[in-house]
């Protein structure tokens, strides 16, 4: 492994979720000096979910937080270095890349971009004002504050229904508000939600605003087919309507698809030699931890071959 004292690494990985940590595990075991840059909690998005039942090797399931921690432990065991910093840009220089971060610049030959995605916002009146005062984007983090209170979940995906099921353990009532007339969530989750007496559904309905005093008191709704307006009294609104890729810092470096995701080939190579992408940040990713980890392994091996050339 080529050690360094002046911020130079053979490889820099941006993002410490399943993709980045798996890439780091592989490159560290291959004795490539690797730095992983993470702006938040190591483990990534999966740490926010209470129970992961579809990651192989854990027949009883495992908490997302524990899975993230185990991935981190395993990667650092083989020498992966991590720092807490936000990557703010990548500069391409002759034969090398410079990763700009809030903790300074890092010079490297190859970069694996694994910065995942973050939750989309509704962009409606009251959403920002009441964030942290009833509006939340993470049931696992905040459900406990809504014991015996009525709450709403906005969305119809796996993530939204997982949030609703978790909230049902605490809240008095959970209303899932979905703009369509059926869920996108997997059948097993739909069945669980339908047999949970505390969960009810409002179909073809959108939230137009969040209102309250110091804390959230109600949401204003519109039925999209009839146009009929109504209100629903809730203490909490959990917004789970999808994700946007964390690629703002890459504008001008790489071409991104219309939604801002990165296109790679099957070897996780981007259009720029030495720049690889892995995980949820890729176009058409299935956005699952196991796929992100698989992408990370492929990116690491491709980067290893690139460095050896
Ligand atoms: C509620 C919920 C439940 C889920 N349940 C499951 C499940 O049961 N099974 C399953 O397989 N998957 C599940 N997922 C999906 C899974 O979490 C993701 O597919 C997986 O975490 C993607 O891994 P990743 O490494 O690509 O990205 P992420 O896990 O998103 O990691 C990216 C990391 O990059 C960091 N980052 C972003 N920008 C920067 C920057 N500029 N500089 C530095 N760091 C940066 C972020 O802080 C983050 O830690 C769930 C997701 C959610 C939200």
């Amino acid at each position: 492994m080529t050690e360094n004292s002046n911020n130079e690494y053979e490889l820099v990985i941006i993002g410490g979720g399943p993709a980045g940590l798996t890439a780091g595990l592989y490159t560290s075991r291959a004795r490539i000096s690797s730095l992983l840059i993470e702006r938040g909690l190591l483990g990534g998005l999966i740490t926010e979910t209470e129970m992961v039942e579809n990651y192989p090797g854990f027949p009883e399931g495992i908490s997302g937080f524990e899975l993230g921690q185990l991935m981190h432990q395993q990667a650092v065991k083989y020498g992966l270095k991590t720092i807490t910093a936000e990557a703010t840009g990548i500069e391409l220089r002759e034969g090398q890349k410079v990763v700009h971060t809030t903790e300074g610049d890092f010079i490297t030959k190859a970069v694996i971009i694994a910065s995942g995605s973050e939750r989309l916002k509704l962009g409606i009146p009251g959403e920002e004002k009441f964030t942290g005062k009833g509006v939340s984007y993470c049931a696992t983090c905040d459900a406990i504050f809504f014991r015996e209170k009525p709450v709403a979940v906005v969305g119809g995906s796996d993530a939204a229904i997982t949030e609703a099921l978790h909230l049902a353990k605490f809240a008095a009532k959970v209303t899932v508000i979905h703009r369509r007339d059926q869920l996108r969530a997997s059948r097993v989750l739909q069945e669980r939600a339908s047999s949970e007496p505390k969960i009810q559904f409002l179909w073809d309905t959108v939230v137009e605003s969040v209102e309250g005093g110091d804390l959230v008191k109600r949401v204003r709704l519109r039925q999209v087919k009839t146009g009929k307006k109504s209100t629903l009294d809730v203490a909490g609104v959990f917004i789970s309507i999808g994700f946007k890729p964390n690629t703002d810092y890459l504008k001008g470096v790489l071409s991104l698809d219309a939604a801002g995701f990165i296109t790679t080939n099957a070897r996780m190579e981007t259009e720029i030699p030495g720049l690889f992408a892995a995980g949820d940040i890729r176009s058409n990713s299935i956005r699952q931890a196991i796929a992100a980890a698989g992408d990370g392994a492929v990116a690491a091996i491709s980067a290893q071959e690139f460095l050896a050339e």
Side-chain angles (χ1 to χ4, degrees), residues 15 17-19 38-39 44-46 49 54 87 115 119 279-280 287-289:
E38 167 57 55
R39 67 179 178 189
L45 211 54
I46 199 73
T49 193
N54 54 7
S115 42
R119 287 174 167 79
D280 282 13
R287 305 221 176 94
Q288 289 288 290

Side-chain angles (χ1 to χ4, degrees), residues 8 11 16 33 43 93 110-112 120 122 125 129 139 152 169 189 200 240 258 267 275 280:
E8 285 188 33
L11 175 81
S33 73
R93 290 190 190 156
V111 180
I112 296 176
L120 280 172
L122 283 168
K129 178 180 169 194
K169 294 181 196 161
L189 287 176
Q200 64 169 44
S240 188
R267 295 172 48 77
L275 282 193
D280 282 13

Side-chain angles (χ1 to χ4, degrees), residues 215-231:
L215 301 171
V216 167
K217 287 198 175 133
R218 74 190 76 81
V219 284
R220 288 200 176 273
L221 307 172
R222 180 170 51 85
Q223 223 282 358
V224 288
K225 287 187 176 153
T226 61
K228 194 177 161 219
K229 305 218 175 192
S230 61
T231 58

Side-chain angles (χ1 to χ4, degrees), residues 122 152-161 164 175-180 182-185 201-203 205 207 238-242:
L122 283 168
V153 172
V154 186
S157 65
D158 272 0
I161 301 308
T175 305
V176 176
I177 303 169
H178 188 39
R179 64 187 168 145
R180 300 210 172 89
Q182 56 185 4
L183 299 172
R184 269 191 297 122
F201 294 90
L202 275 181
W203 304 109
T205 302
V207 182
F238 288 80
I239 298 166
S240 188
I241 55 163

